């Protein structure tokens, strides 16, 4: 087996795809560009991803998973649930803001890709809501939170903080006052979750 | 004075402009189209609105004011603040959803216009947040709500319910589960505002 095919992993293809998307934009990037960037035939790429659509979906999922991966550590951390909740929401906002701010072109590219890949996006949201559910469930167990349905509360918290993670608000994330707005929303939600003594 | 110029009010021009926008779309609608629809010269239109941009801004403001006008009655209603808050949020969601659902083309047109008219939009948001502040302030006075800064709480409630009034979510408003999502977010926010006994 030739060295290129030995080392041609799905992960390497996805890295190259991201780079091609960054360079050519979502409308022009092709599987041939990806193969050329890797020095392999486009057939080799198709052995890992059967269609261009499948490749685009996988690269979208990888991009979204990077955020959920960063957050999962907070869910499992050894801190009181309220602190974990606040930290998790702040980390989600920070991650999205960093993605939008540090590489606006790639962010715009992924906005096109997420519009195309509704399934990857809803799996991502389910993943994030599941993480939030675990934190709220932990708060119910310690008696800090009063939620009767932690899953529904998690969904409500996720939706109520949309302004601070949904890409449709990306333009507003650098406006003055955003930090104070975020803090006020989080305080109100945490107050809503707390058990009345 | 000729009868047409006697009766040519700003309101009549704005009505005609909305009709022209509905018919031609935001990219093609011109002041000449508006004048033709009214049977007047375009000079007569310019006597009321000095530029095409001013006319577009005024028609955007009128469209947004229709929603705030409907809601202001709830602020002044003779009901307990929590009920007014719930009713106000439900009425805002219903008004936006109706606008998006009943006349999707006009809604798309106004989405373009609101993107152009940032000032009209921020005045609209300030107007809505002021209405919310009055309800929350009333709740603080009756002892139902615990907010130390009703204006900041109003802004937080407005932002936390963005999913149910911000046009960027219009596509999701008819999805199953939206009513339950809305109820869960409102319950959580109301719980957060309540005074701990």
């Amino acid at each position: 087996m030739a060295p290129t095919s030995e080392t041609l992993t799905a992960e390497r293809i996805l890295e190259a795809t991201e780079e091609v998307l960054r360079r050519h934009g979502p409308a022009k990037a092709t599987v041939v560009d990806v193969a050329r960037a890797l020095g392999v035939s486009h057939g080799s790429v198709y052995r890992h991803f059967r269609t261009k659509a499948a490749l685009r979906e996988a690269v979208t999922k990888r991009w979204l998973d990077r955020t959920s991966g960063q957050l999962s550590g907070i869910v499992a951390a050894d801190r009181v649930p309220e602190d974990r909740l606040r930290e998790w929401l702040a980390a989600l906002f920070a991650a999205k803001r960093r993605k939008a701010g540090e590489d606006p072109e790639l962010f715009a590219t992924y906005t096109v890709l997420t519009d195309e890949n509704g399934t990857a996006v809803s799996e991502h949201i389910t993943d994030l809501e599941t993480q939030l559910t675990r934190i709220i469930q932990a708060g119910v167990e310690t008696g800090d939170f009063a939620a009767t349905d932690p899953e529904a509360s998690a969904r409500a918290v996720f939706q109520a903080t949309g302004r601070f993670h949904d890409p449709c608000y990306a333009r507003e994330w650098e406006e003055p006052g955003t930090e104070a707005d975020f803090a006020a929303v989080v305080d109100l939600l945490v107050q809503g979750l707390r058990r009345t003594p």
Side-chain angles (χ1 to χ4, degrees), chain A residues 8 23 34 40 47 70 90 117 188:
Chain A
L8 187 65
R23 234 178 313 131
V34 173
V40 301
R47 269 196 288 283
Q70 284 163 21
N117 292 285
L188 186 57

Side-chain angles (χ1 to χ4, degrees), chain A residues 113-166:
Chain A
L113 288 174
T114 51
D115 278 348
E116 274 174 25
N117 292 285
T119 307
V121 173
S122 32
E123 282 170 9
H124 175 61
I125 292 173
T126 301
D127 192 3
L128 293 178
E129 287 178 359
T130 304
Q131 293 192 13
L132 263 182
T133 302
R134 282 180 56 202
I135 299 175
I136 292 173
Q137 180 64 50
V140 171
E141 281 159 18
T142 58
D144 293 313
F145 293 155
T148 49
D149 180 348
E151 199 179 328
S153 297
R155 189 168 167 82
V157 168
F158 188 76
Q159 295 192 342
T161 50
R163 184 177 189 92
F164 310 102
H165 53 71
D166 194 307

Side-chain angles (χ1 to χ4, degrees), chain A residues 1-23:
Chain A
M1 221 184 254
T4 44
S5 84
E6 263 185 321
T7 52
L8 187 65
T9 59
E11 179 58 23
R12 271 193 64 212
I13 295 173
L14 292 173
E15 272 168 30
T17 305
E18 185 167 290
E19 195 43 45
V20 165
L21 282 164
R22 193 196 305 269
R23 234 178 313 131

Side-chain angles (χ1 to χ4, degrees), chain A residues 30-168:
Chain A
T30 67
V31 173
V32 171
D33 294 325
V34 173
R36 191 177 298 137
L38 289 161
V40 301
S41 71
H42 58 92
S44 309
V45 175
Y46 282 121
R47 269 196 288 283
H48 288 268
F49 300 97
R50 305 185 73 134
T51 61
K52 181 177 167 183
L55 178 57
R56 284 166 83 94
E57 182 169 0
V59 79
T60 308
K61 186 171 160 20
R62 176 174 171 272
W63 189 68
L64 295 169
D65 283 352
R66 248 181 276 166
T67 303
S68 6
Q70 284 163 21
L71 297 174
S72 61
I74 300 170
V75 177
D78 185 23
R79 281 190 290 286
V80 298
E82 183 180 314
D83 292 350
R84 273 187 272 163
L85 177 64
R86 290 176 180 276
E87 200 185 322
W88 191 94
L89 290 169
L92 175 60
F93 185 24
K96 296 281 177 176
R97 195 145 67 150
R98 203 164 43 236
K99 279 181 172 176
E102 282 179 3
D103 199 337
E105 279 173 33
L106 191 65
F107 190 76
T109 290
Y110 275 111
T111 303
V112 173
L113 288 174
T114 51
D115 278 348
E116 274 174 25
N117 292 285
T119 307
V121 173
S122 32
E123 282 170 9
H124 175 61
I125 292 173
T126 301
D127 192 3
L128 293 178
E129 287 178 359
T130 304
Q131 293 192 13
L132 263 182
T133 302
R134 282 180 56 202
I135 299 175
I136 292 173
Q137 180 64 50
V140 171
E141 281 159 18
T142 58
D144 293 313
F145 293 155
T148 49
D149 180 348
E151 199 179 328
S153 297
R155 189 168 167 82
V157 168
F158 188 76
Q159 295 192 342
T161 50
R163 184 177 189 92
F164 310 102
H165 53 71
D166 194 307
C168 81

